[in-house]
C-alpha cells in the first residue's frame, strides 16, 4: 500500500483523496482544520501547508504529493506564493512526485482554443501568479530536483464546486430566483467537472510521460451559460431561468463592498467571449474521458435538494 498526500479538501481535493483511497491507497489529507471526507484509508491532518518543515514531515515516505489547495480568491497574490513554495520544497526534500491542480489563467488572453503547449503569457495579476507557480516548479524539474506535472481545469461544476457559474447563476437557478452573470450568456465556454479533474490528477500521477508538462481536464461541456442554466433548471425541476447580463459598471459597484467580486473585472476576458479548452491530447494520451454534462447537472440538483430538505 502506497501513501499519497493531498493538500486541500475542496471538491476536487476531496474527490482525489476518495479516488486514491477507494483504489486501496493510503491517503494523508492535509487541511488547515483537519476536514475532508471520512474513509478508513484517509488520514485527515490539521496543518498549515505553508509550514515547510511540517509539510516535509507529513510528506516523507509518500509516493506523490497533490496540491489541490486554493487560497481565498482575493488573496492569491499574497497567499499563493508561500503555499506553492512550501509544497514544492516538500516534494524536493522528500522525493515525492508533485502533481499540481492548476487552471487556465496563466495563458492570458487568446481567441483560439487553449491547448497544453500554449505559452504562459498572462497579463492579469492572478494569471501571473498561476504562471509563476508553474514556472518555478518546471525550473525545479529542469534542474533535476523534482518530478512535477500540472493538471489545468476550466471553471468548475459539480456538487460543492465553486466558480462564477455555481455562485452567481447555478445557486439562483436552483432556488428559482433571478440571476446575473458578468459575461456573454451565449458564448461557448468550457466547464470542468470536479470529479473529472480528480481522475485526471490521479491518472497523470501514474503516467510516466506526465513529468515536466501540463495536461488539460477534458471539459464536461462547452455550452454557453444560458443553455447550461436551462439544463440545470430542467434537471432540478426548477422554473425556467431568469438570466441577465451584468455590466462591468454593475460588477465594479458590487466589488466596492465585496472583495471577492472585486477580483472578477480583470478576468472578464474569460467570460465575455468564447473560451474553449482543448483537451484532445490529454484524452488520447491519458485515456481520460469527461463525465456527461447531464450527470453533472443532476448531481448539482440533488445536492441542492438535499440541502433544502435539511
Amino acid at each position: 500500500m502506497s501513501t499519497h498526500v493531498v493538500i486541500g479538501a475542496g471538491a476536487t481535493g476531496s474527490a482525489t483523496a476518495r479516488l486514491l483511497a477507494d483504489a486501496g491507497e493510503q491517503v494523508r489529507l492535509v487541511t488547515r482544520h483537519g476536514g475532508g471526507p471520512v474513509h478508513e484509508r484517509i488520514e485527515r491532518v490539521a496543518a498549515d501547508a505553508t509550514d515547510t518543515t511540517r509539510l516535509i514531515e507529513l510528506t516523507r515516505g509518500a509516493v506523490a504529493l497533490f496540491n489541490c489547495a486554493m487560497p481565498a480568491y482575493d488573496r492569491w497574490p499574497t497567499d499563493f506564493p508561500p503555499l506553492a513554495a512550501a509544497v514544492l520544497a516538500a516534494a524536493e526534500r522528500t522525493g515525492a512526485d508533485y502533481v499540481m491542480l492548476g487552471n487556465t489563467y496563466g495563458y492570458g488572453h487568446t481567441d483560439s482554443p487553449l491547448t497544453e503547449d500554449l505559452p504562459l503569457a498572462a497579463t492579469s495579476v492572478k494569471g501571473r501568479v498561476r504562471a509563476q507557480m508553474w514556472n518555478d516548479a518546471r525550473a525545479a524539474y529542469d534542474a533535476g530536483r523534482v518530478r512535477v506535472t500540472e493538471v489545468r481545469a476550466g471553471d468548475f461544476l459539480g456538487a460543492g464546486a465553486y466558480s462564477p457559474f455555481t455562485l452567481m447563476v447555478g445557486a439562483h437557478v436552483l432556488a428559482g430566483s433571478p440571476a446575473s452573470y458578468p459575461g456573454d450568456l451565449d458564448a461557448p465556454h468550457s466547464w470542468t467537472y470536479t470529479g473529472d479533474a480528480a481522475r485526471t490528477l490521479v491518472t497523470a500521477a501514474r503516467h510516466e510521460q506526465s513529468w515536466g508538462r501540463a495536461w488539460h481536464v477534458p471539459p464536461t461541456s462547452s455550452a454557453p451559460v444560458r443553455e447550461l442554466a436551462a439544463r440545470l433548471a430542467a434537471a432540478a425541476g426548477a422554473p425556467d431561468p431568469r438570466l441577465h447580463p451584468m455590466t462591468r459598471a454593475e460588477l465594479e459597484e458590487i466589488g466596492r463592498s465585496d472583495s471577492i467580486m472585486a477580483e472578477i473585472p480583470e478576468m472578464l476576458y474569460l467570460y465575455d467571449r468564447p473560451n474553449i479548452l482543448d483537451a484532445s491530447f490529454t484524452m488520447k494520451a491519458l485515456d481520460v474521458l469527461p463525465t456527461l454534462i447531464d450527470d453533472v447537472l443532476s448531481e448539482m440538483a440533488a445536492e441542492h435538494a438535499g440541502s433544502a430538505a435539511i
Side-chain angles (χ1 to χ4, degrees):
M1 183 185 300
S2 300
T3 297
H4 299 72
V5 175
V6 178
I7 303 173
T12 301
S14 293
T16 301
R18 284 192 297 265
L19 274 177
L20 292 165
D22 287 344
E25 307 289 358
Q26 187 67 35
V27 179
R28 186 169 295 130
L29 182 57
V30 181
T31 66
R32 189 174 293 274
H33 302 292
V38 176
H39 192 292
E40 63 179 356
R41 284 187 289 275
I42 296 178
E43 175 193 4
R44 298 181 298 173
V45 178
D48 182 352
T50 65
D51 183 340
T52 305
T53 301
R54 177 63 172 145
L55 194 56
I56 290 172
E57 293 174 355
L58 293 171
T59 306
R60 188 164 283 117
V63 297
L65 174 59
F66 295 82
N67 186 3
C68 300
M70 185 72 66
Y73 200 57
D74 58 342
R75 294 189 58 82
W76 280 24
T78 56
D79 292 4
F80 243 146
L83 171 66
V87 180
L88 179 58
E92 289 187 34
R93 291 283 299 276
T94 63
D97 291 335
Y98 183 21
V99 186
M100 303 168 61
L101 173 63
N103 62 13
T104 64
Y105 284 20
Y107 293 123
H109 177 200
T110 176
D111 291 321
S112 60
L114 300 173
T115 55
E116 298 94 334
D117 57 353
L118 282 175
L120 298 182
T123 57
S124 66
V125 173
K126 288 181 286 297
R128 289 196 296 267
V129 168
R130 291 288 345 185
Q132 191 61 52
M133 289 170 63
W134 172 247
N135 288 336
D136 291 344
R138 177 57 196 263
Y141 168 81
D142 289 340
R145 301 197 306 268
V146 68
R147 296 206 305 180
V148 63
T149 188
E150 183 169 62
V151 170
R152 295 173 183 160
D155 286 321
F156 285 119
L157 298 177
Y162 288 94
S163 68
F165 179 86
T166 63
L167 296 175
M168 302 176 69
V169 177
H172 295 280
V173 168
L174 291 170
S177 59
S180 296
Y181 183 77
D184 186 340
L185 297 176
D186 298 299
H189 190 95
S190 291
W191 309 96
T192 295
Y193 173 46
T194 53
D196 292 340
R199 288 193 298 113
T200 308
L201 285 164
V202 172
T203 303
R206 295 169 173 166
H207 201 287
E208 283 303 312
Q209 294 181 5
S210 286
W211 313 113
R213 59 156 299 129
W215 306 93
H216 283 171
V217 182
T220 183
S221 173
S222 291
V225 167
R226 194 187 307 275
E227 177 186 337
L228 194 65
R231 294 174 72 169
L232 177 59
D240 290 341
R242 290 170 287 167
L243 300 181
H244 307 281
M246 183 184 295
T247 67
R248 187 184 187 98
E250 290 172 329
L251 181 60
E252 291 176 345
E253 179 61 30
I254 296 172
R256 298 184 199 281
S257 58
D258 187 322
S259 62
I260 300 298
M261 294 295 289
E263 296 297 314
I264 294 180
E266 75 161 354
M267 306 308 301
L268 279 178
Y269 68 86
L270 296 175
Y271 307 108
D272 63 4
R273 67 202 73 194
N275 185 357
I276 302 299
L277 187 65
D278 184 338
S280 54
F281 181 82
T282 298
M283 293 170 65
K284 180 179 180 180
L286 298 186
D287 195 26
V288 176
L289 299 177
T291 300
L292 296 175
I293 183 59
D294 288 335
D295 292 341
V296 177
L297 298 177
S298 294
E299 177 184 295
M300 294 170 66
E303 179 192 35
H304 174 76
S307 298
I310 296 176

